[in-house]
Amino acid sequence: MTFARPTRRSVVAAAGALLLAPRAFAHHGWSSFDQTRPIYLSGRAVAVQWRNPHVEFDLETDAEPKLPGDLGARVLPAQTAPVDGPALLKAAQLPTRRDRRWHIELAPLFRINAWGLPEIKVGDAVELLGFTFVGERGDAVLRAEYVWVGGKAYGMRSSPA
């Protein structure tokens, strides 16, 4: 059996596909997150990647996590996606897992800029409401629906209404 010698073009294409594969595999959509169970986290940013495809940071959570007494009554910004924010606030709960460090995924930069969310820096206090994996399996990852920085709420799923 003989094989055709690969062309330079096919080698470059294969190498490019291999380089992009881990990034595509690592990026996941909403389907792996439990959107019926909103999770509340608060703490300080300890590592920030302010870039596309979406902003990410690591959060060192508060030592004694608790739901704020005013969480269910907080005013949320109107956004273009049909999100029932008040219902999410009322259903919010703390995670059952006790990880002190969570990886947070925010929206793409164009959406962050539309909301006017100030750039989060290491040491900044941040509150979040979002979703983690079904059954809290796997890594401690939260896909944010709402972010509070400096007491102001920002939506993540769509643009401001």
Side-chain angles (χ1 to χ4, degrees):
M1 182 184 272
T2 60
F3 293 97
R5 183 179 176 112
T7 65
R8 177 182 164 106
R9 184 180 204 179
S10 65
V11 170
V12 169
L18 287 173
L19 288 172
L20 293 175
R23 191 165 187 66
F25 178 74
H27 190 268
H28 37 78
W30 280 99
S31 64
S32 57
F33 293 86
D34 184 353
Q35 295 180 67
T36 65
R37 195 167 166 265
I39 300 293
Y40 173 83
L41 296 174
S42 63
R44 298 214 172 262
V46 293
V48 179
Q49 296 90 41
W50 202 263
R51 62 176 188 227
N52 280 317
H54 47 81
V55 173
E56 301 174 68
F57 67 95
D58 288 343
L59 183 81
E60 184 77 26
T61 61
D62 296 333
E64 298 294 324
K66 61 183 175 194
L67 290 174
D70 72 336
L71 187 61
R74 289 186 182 180
V75 175
L76 296 172
Q79 53 186 333
T80 56
V83 178
D84 188 350
L88 291 176
L89 291 179
K90 288 179 181 149
Q93 53 194 280
L94 296 173
T96 57
R97 62 190 301 157
R98 293 294 165 225
D99 298 81
R100 285 292 312 278
R101 191 171 183 142
W102 283 72
H103 186 72
I104 309 300
E105 295 181 358
L106 300 183
L109 278 175
F110 75 89
R111 201 173 301 147
I112 298 282
N113 291 334
W115 281 103
L117 176 68
E119 185 172 344
I120 296 169
K121 300 201 181 332
V122 170
D124 285 352
V126 183
E127 294 177 82
L128 302 132
L129 184 72
F131 308 101
T132 191
F133 298 119
V134 174
E136 295 187 28
R137 293 185 192 97
D139 296 333
V141 173
L142 185 90
R143 184 105 185 236
E145 183 73 50
Y146 293 103
V147 178
W148 288 269
V149 176
K152 183 175 179 184
Y154 300 90
M156 291 292 109
R157 182 133 359 163
S158 63
S159 297

